[in-house]
Amino acid sequence: MSQVREPGFDRVVALVLRVGAFGCFFIMLAGLLVGVLVPGHLPQEIERAGVLLMLATPVVRVLVAGILFLREKDWKYGAISLGVLTILLLSAAFGIGEH
């Protein structure tokens, strides 16, 4: 493992977070605008898609970081990232922490 990480690593992770944040914002904004113009359940479904994207963004970020660590042959941090991803997916699947 090198002590200096490639600048592309940070750019890719930042891009994932930026796309998720802006995508969520614009989807939620579209749901709000559709809600003003169109009655019915369509605005709620659009806004739900925005919330799901907001929830999925950190999961995708951990997945991308894990893949990038493994590509750099940084096995320790790649394994940690995939472990965190497993915990995130299991908690979503089983509702761990739900009261």
Side-chain angles (χ1 to χ4, degrees):
M1 173 183 92
S2 67
Q3 294 298 325
V4 179
R5 180 162 284 112
E6 291 184 32
F9 182 96
D10 293 330
R11 269 189 253 134
V12 171
V13 172
L15 178 65
V16 168
L17 294 173
R18 195 174 308 119
V19 167
F22 282 118
C24 171
F25 171 76
F26 287 118
I27 291 172
M28 296 290 284
L29 182 63
L32 181 66
L33 293 175
V34 170
V36 170
L37 302 173
V38 178
H41 293 289
L42 180 62
Q44 292 174 348
E45 296 301 321
I46 294 172
E47 290 172 2
R48 184 173 299 159
V51 170
L52 288 175
L53 178 61
M54 184 187 315
L55 293 172
T57 299
V59 176
V60 173
R61 181 249 184 255
V62 171
L63 175 66
V64 168
I67 291 170
L68 291 174
F69 280 129
L70 293 175
R71 282 184 55 198
E72 289 184 353
K73 294 183 175 52
D74 192 344
W75 308 118
K76 178 180 175 182
Y77 287 108
I80 291 170
S81 295
L82 294 179
V84 170
L85 179 64
T86 301
I87 292 169
L88 288 171
L89 294 176
L90 287 174
S91 66
F94 296 117
I96 296 172
E98 185 177 329
H99 298 284

